[in-house]
Amino acid sequence: MHYLNISFSHKNSTMEVREKLSYKDDNSKRGCLTKLNSSEAINESILISTCNRMEVFCSCSDVALATQHIFEMLAARSGISIDELEGRANIYDDSSAIHHIFSVASSLDSMVVGETQIAGQLKDAFRFSYDKGYCGQKLARAMHHAFKCAAKVRNATDISSKPVSIASVAVAKLKSVLESVEGKKALVIGVGEMSEITAKHLISSGADVYIMNRTKDKAEKLAQECGAKVLDMSELPKAVNEFEILFTATSASEPIITDEIIKICDFDRYWFDMAMPRDINYHKGERINLYVIDDLKNIVDENIGLREDGARKAHGIIGRSTVEFFEWLNTLNIEPMIKEIYQKAFEAARAESRRVIKNGYIPKEYEAQIVKMSEQVMKRFLHDMTSKMRSVSEDSKADMVTSALQFLIQKDKSDMPDKYKCEHALNIIEGR
């Protein structure tokens, strides 16, 4: 079994490319995961699709075949050639794939280092895949350890001491342009986490905030939580020409603000499009200052500079956590084999005990004692051997030892770790 991660992010792909590769709704995500797992080389998969990244994380039996399948699938959907996709993508397998997913979970690979949204987005991606049956024990183990690593990074560094997100960076950008937003009317379209963070930042800065969403009940709920007002979605054509400040982060598959509803105004407008695909598509430059995700890089670069020391320490934690994860996986391969060896030994001890009693070598009334003695002999004989097996599972000889043992006990390696119930999926879902 191998781990494979194919990543398109703000680091290697333009916004236009990320838009074409994004999966916004549950149906499209379900279709993607179904196609991924249709490959004979892929047995589990998770799709991560956010405003800054689209990644496929999977376990597979053949890295080359799985990679080919993923690129063919993405090319067919996006209309982007396989050559371009291969040229842009970061491809990670086995230890590098685990190192990368640990970095993502720890917010070291984010546009805003230390941002807090990615952990929730990863958990949502895992839950969706796990609940729908697209991933199981293998990826659950990796994701569980990714979140453990992220917790270590948070506790040992200061990169998340002042939690930030794309939304908070967008509000900071607005403040740098206007100096103050106090008393200004601001429209926030959408009710997701990005919109919630934006609304709260604006309100704390003294702005007069209105919430708009296709489902009005959800807008009213968010407005009540934040202390904002609500506008009906039908008022969007009017609102875009009345509000000086507008933030949008919906899950719409097509732009909701286009040339058709934009009118010339005698005041400057400041629009922030934080959606992927983008919510705003216009060609009229009438005093409209539009900022999209990639325009926030200057503030992001400052953020990275301030957190450089913490990031270096975090990378060390991620490296050690990656090594520890594979050492732990090796013990999973060893432990079921040890149990199997003991079971076979005890079966032989009981069979021999029955034989000597049947032949009259030992009286029947001593059967319990002879069985216990035989098992104790086997335990004593196997103790040193199994102790050495456990210790060698943590070094480079592990694969050689497990392969030899698999041959001796005639067990398929791919079956061994999964014989024992893994609680990691439950731990992730319940937030432990």
Side-chain angles (χ1 to χ4, degrees):
M1 188 272 290
H2 302 277
Y3 288 108
L4 173 65
N5 182 292
I6 295 181
S7 171
F8 297 90
S9 72
H10 62 280
K11 292 183 175 181
N12 60 27
S13 301
T14 63
M15 180 170 288
E16 288 75 17
V17 169
R18 300 200 306 273
E19 280 181 328
K20 292 177 181 179
L21 292 171
S22 66
Y23 291 82
K24 291 297 291 186
D25 57 72
D26 289 353
N27 285 335
S28 64
K29 291 174 184 176
R30 192 179 291 109
C32 173
L33 290 164
T34 299
K35 289 177 182 177
L36 285 170
N37 286 12
S38 67
S39 168
E40 62 180 16
I42 298 174
N43 48 69
E44 295 182 20
S45 57
I46 294 172
L47 173 67
I48 305 158
S49 184
T50 73
C51 58
N52 283 325
R53 68 180 64 250
M54 196 294 292
E55 299 194 1
V56 172
F57 180 45
C58 63
S59 67
C60 59
S61 57
D62 188 307
V63 170
L65 285 178
T67 302
Q68 180 183 353
H69 176 75
I70 292 169
F71 279 127
E72 287 175 352
M73 187 194 81
L74 294 178
R77 181 179 186 275
S78 66
I80 302 172
S81 70
I82 291 178
D83 286 344
E84 182 176 353
L85 291 174
E86 288 178 339
R88 289 186 178 276
N90 289 116
I91 304 172
Y92 308 96
D93 62 80
D94 293 328
S95 62
S96 64
I98 294 299
H99 188 280
H100 175 71
I101 207 69
F102 284 12
S103 297
V104 172
S106 302
S107 183
L108 265 291
D109 196 65
S110 297
M111 179 183 285
V112 181
V113 174
E115 58 97 356
T116 55
Q117 283 180 279
I118 188 61
Q121 291 166 337
L122 274 181
K123 286 182 180 179
D124 289 343
F126 169 76
R127 287 192 190 104
F128 184 87
S129 184
Y130 186 83
D131 289 345
K132 302 294 188 293
Y134 296 109
C135 77
Q137 203 170 57
K138 296 178 178 66
L139 293 189
R141 287 168 174 161
M143 295 301 287
H144 176 71
H145 281 259
F147 295 124
K148 281 179 63 178
C149 176
K152 289 179 184 177
V153 169
R154 284 196 304 273
N155 293 332
T157 72
D158 60 356
I159 65 169
S160 296
S161 57
K162 294 181 180 179
V164 291
S165 64
I166 289 295
S168 63
V169 168
V171 175
K173 179 65 176 177
L174 175 67
K175 288 180 180 179
S176 72
V177 174
L178 291 182
E179 294 185 2
S180 174
V181 298
E182 188 170 358
K184 294 185 181 294
K185 289 176 63 177
L187 177 62
V188 176
I189 308 174
V191 292
E193 186 178 4
M194 194 93 76
S195 299
E196 180 180 350
I197 294 170
T198 301
K200 289 179 178 177
H201 277 292
L202 289 170
I203 289 168
S204 67
S205 300
D208 185 16
V209 177
Y210 291 75
I211 307 292
M212 180 182 286
N213 190 61
R214 290 190 186 279
T215 307
K216 195 171 183 179
D217 289 347
K218 293 181 179 179
E220 289 172 345
K221 182 180 178 182
L222 177 57
Q224 187 175 6
E225 290 176 2
C226 298
K229 303 177 183 69
V230 176
L231 278 181
D232 193 274
M233 196 71 185
S234 62
E235 298 185 59
L236 179 61
K238 181 181 177 183
V240 297
N241 300 302
E242 291 183 349
F243 280 79
E244 182 180 357
I245 300 166
L246 181 149
F247 289 81
T248 181
T250 76
S251 58
S253 57
E254 299 290 336
I256 61 172
I257 299 174
T258 60
D259 289 333
E260 285 71 24
I261 64 173
I262 298 171
K263 296 179 181 178
I264 297 173
C265 296
D266 60 358
F267 58 89
D268 291 324
R269 285 175 279 185
Y270 300 91
W271 291 355
F272 291 81
D273 188 348
M274 300 179 291
M276 182 63 68
R278 285 171 285 187
D279 282 335
I280 301 173
N281 182 21
Y282 83 102
H283 303 91
K284 297 178 181 178
E286 297 296 337
R287 301 183 70 175
I288 296 173
N289 302 280
L290 175 63
Y291 301 92
V292 295
I293 291 168
D294 287 358
D295 293 325
L296 304 173
K297 285 184 177 178
N298 288 337
I299 296 175
V300 169
D301 290 342
E302 292 174 10
N303 170 274
I304 292 173
L306 290 171
R307 298 174 185 223
E308 214 167 67
D309 290 340
R312 277 196 292 270
K313 189 173 183 180
H315 281 297
I317 294 170
I318 291 167
R320 290 191 296 274
S321 295
T322 302
V323 172
E324 289 167 3
F325 173 70
F326 281 98
E327 288 177 347
W328 175 78
L329 274 188
N330 283 332
T331 66
L332 289 184
N333 286 334
I334 289 288
E335 290 301 330
M337 293 180 196
I338 290 175
K339 185 174 182 179
E340 190 76 18
I341 289 169
Y342 272 99
Q343 286 176 342
K344 287 180 177 293
F346 290 167
E347 286 170 7
R350 288 190 288 271
E352 188 61 19
S353 298
R354 289 192 296 270
R355 187 186 70 81
V356 298
I357 290 170
K358 180 180 179 180
N359 291 340
Y361 301 139
I362 296 176
K364 175 72 174 176
E365 58 265 29
Y366 294 113
E367 182 175 2
Q369 290 88 339
I370 193 63
V371 169
K372 185 176 181 179
M373 184 193 75
S374 300
E375 290 181 349
Q376 285 298 118
V377 168
M378 298 308 297
K379 283 183 180 179
R380 185 176 292 275
F381 172 73
L382 292 172
H383 175 73
D384 288 344
M385 183 190 307
T386 54
S387 294
K388 288 179 181 178
M389 287 166 58
R390 288 187 176 97
S391 65
V392 82
S393 71
E394 298 178 1
D395 64 29
S396 58
K397 299 177 183 177
D399 286 344
M400 179 179 67
V401 172
T402 53
S403 296
L405 288 171
Q406 286 153 17
F407 173 77
L408 292 173
I409 61 178
Q410 297 181 334
K411 284 288 179 180
D412 182 358
K413 180 178 180 180
S414 64
D415 294 336
M416 298 305 286
D418 291 336
K419 286 177 65 179
Y420 297 90
K421 185 178 180 182
C422 178
E423 299 295 334
H424 299 312
L426 186 62
N427 289 341
I428 295 171
I429 290 169
E430 294 183 353
R432 296 203 295 269

